Amino acid sequence: MRHVLLTIMIALTELVVSTNQDITAGQVVTAAPGSNVTLGCSFPVRETLSLDHLIVTWQRGTVVVHSFYRGKDQLEKQSRAYKGRTSLSADQLETGNASLSLHGVQADDHGKYSCHVVSESWENSKDLHLLVAAPYDAPEMAVHVGCESINVTLTSAQGFPEPTIVWKGGLSQSNATTVELDGTGRYKVESVMSLSSKETQTVSVEMTLDVLRQTFKRSITLHPPPACCLIAEHRTGFPVFGVICLFIAVLLLGCVIVIRKKAC
């Protein structure tokens, strides 16, 4: 049987978060996996507008996302990837709004979309980019201490796509990062750094999601345990700890006998 006595002092810096993104209005739309998103498209309305003579086509490259003509949705040529996930509003079309509603956003929906609106006397087009991404939750840190090593673990979730994680400093022995998709199509992330516990050291970690310019930084100062006591077993198989306990029990019994004799 082994008994370990360990203490550790940890100093954490405050979390630093930077979330920034350069987006030109109307050109980039960001949506998280599993969410619903509206891709905006508008056109000038004439008094003579008739939905029966209006053609609206949404495409991603050469892929047909949604079509509307002859006064109703025409989905025969719609890609299977978008079946049951898109909609246009006829009432909104009458006001010059050809925006597309996309439901249950998927990672493969990422890319450039084109909206084409054509009538008998004019046509209008618009391109935009759908960025499928989601910011990560602020990461949590945990420390597990052993006599020979210390494991520092960073965990975060609800983000997409995979982040970049970089560990720096410390007497590194190894590090490993694992990612797992949850039910919404977003990632759970766990990264573990294994360090030697023999001396004071500072280790830092940076997690970055480039597409959203999101960055988390943490640093931890670890001090070696003041004591790491392993009580080994005796070669005969009888634990040394048992011998010590027996000795203490005999000593206490002797004290009780002496006290009783004095009381008499």
Side-chain angles (χ1 to χ4, degrees):
M1 181 183 294
R2 293 186 176 181
H3 301 267
V4 181
L5 176 62
L6 293 177
T7 59
I8 186 167
M9 298 176 63
I10 304 174
L12 296 178
T13 63
E14 291 187 359
L15 182 67
V16 178
V17 183
S18 173
T19 304
N20 199 354
Q21 185 180 12
D22 293 332
I23 297 178
T24 303
Q27 292 184 345
V28 177
V29 177
T30 302
S35 68
N36 302 327
V37 66
T38 298
L39 305 181
C41 179
S42 60
F43 57 92
V45 178
R46 271 71 168 182
E47 293 182 359
T48 58
L49 176 66
S50 170
L51 295 185
D52 290 333
H53 300 100
L54 189 70
I55 300 174
V56 179
T57 305
W58 276 92
Q59 291 181 252
R60 181 166 66 90
T62 59
V63 175
V64 176
V65 177
H66 196 100
S67 296
F68 178 98
Y69 53 91
R70 295 176 184 171
K72 63 179 181 179
D73 292 326
Q74 305 286 348
L75 305 179
E76 293 82 3
K77 295 183 179 180
Q78 184 185 45
S79 169
R80 287 186 177 183
Y82 294 97
K83 291 291 185 183
R85 298 199 297 128
T86 62
S87 62
L88 290 175
S89 169
D91 292 339
Q92 291 297 313
L93 286 173
E94 291 179 346
T95 66
N97 185 358
S99 298
L100 178 74
S101 295
L102 178 60
H103 310 284
V105 172
Q106 302 172 5
D108 291 340
D109 293 336
H110 177 94
K112 180 182 177 181
Y113 288 74
S114 299
C115 169
H116 303 283
V117 183
V118 181
S119 74
E120 291 179 306
S121 57
W122 55 268
E123 64 180 79
N124 194 63
S125 297
K126 178 182 179 180
D127 294 333
L128 55 80
H129 190 89
L130 176 61
L131 175 64
V132 180
Y136 279 88
D137 294 339
E140 297 182 354
M141 303 286 286
V143 178
H144 176 75
V145 183
C147 274
E148 299 298 326
S149 65
I150 300 173
N151 287 337
V152 183
T153 303
L154 175 145
T155 56
S156 186
Q158 294 295 306
F160 187 87
E162 293 184 30
T164 299
I165 298 178
V166 178
W167 293 89
K168 295 180 180 179
L171 301 176
S172 174
Q173 295 178 345
S174 64
N175 69 81
T177 299
T178 58
V179 294
E180 178 184 353
L181 282 173
D182 64 16
T184 65
R186 306 178 198 184
Y187 283 115
K188 298 177 181 178
V189 180
E190 179 179 278
S191 186
V192 181
M193 167 70 88
S194 181
L195 304 158
S196 170
S197 62
K198 295 181 179 179
E199 62 182 69
T200 299
Q201 56 194 307
T202 297
V203 61
S204 64
V205 60
E206 181 173 308
M207 186 176 84
T208 304
L209 183 62
D210 289 333
V211 294
L212 294 181
R213 296 190 179 181
Q214 182 187 37
T215 300
F216 295 97
K217 296 180 180 179
R218 277 279 181 93
S219 67
I220 303 176
T221 299
L222 304 165
H223 297 276
C228 185
C229 179
L230 297 177
I231 301 179
E233 295 184 357
H234 194 269
R235 289 184 179 180
T236 60
F238 188 78
V240 175
F241 180 70
V243 175
I244 295 174
C245 290
L246 180 61
F247 174 77
I248 294 174
V250 172
L251 182 62
L252 290 175
L253 180 61
C255 291
V256 170
I257 293 174
V258 170
I259 292 173
R260 285 183 177 179
K261 285 183 177 181
K262 288 184 177 181
C264 293

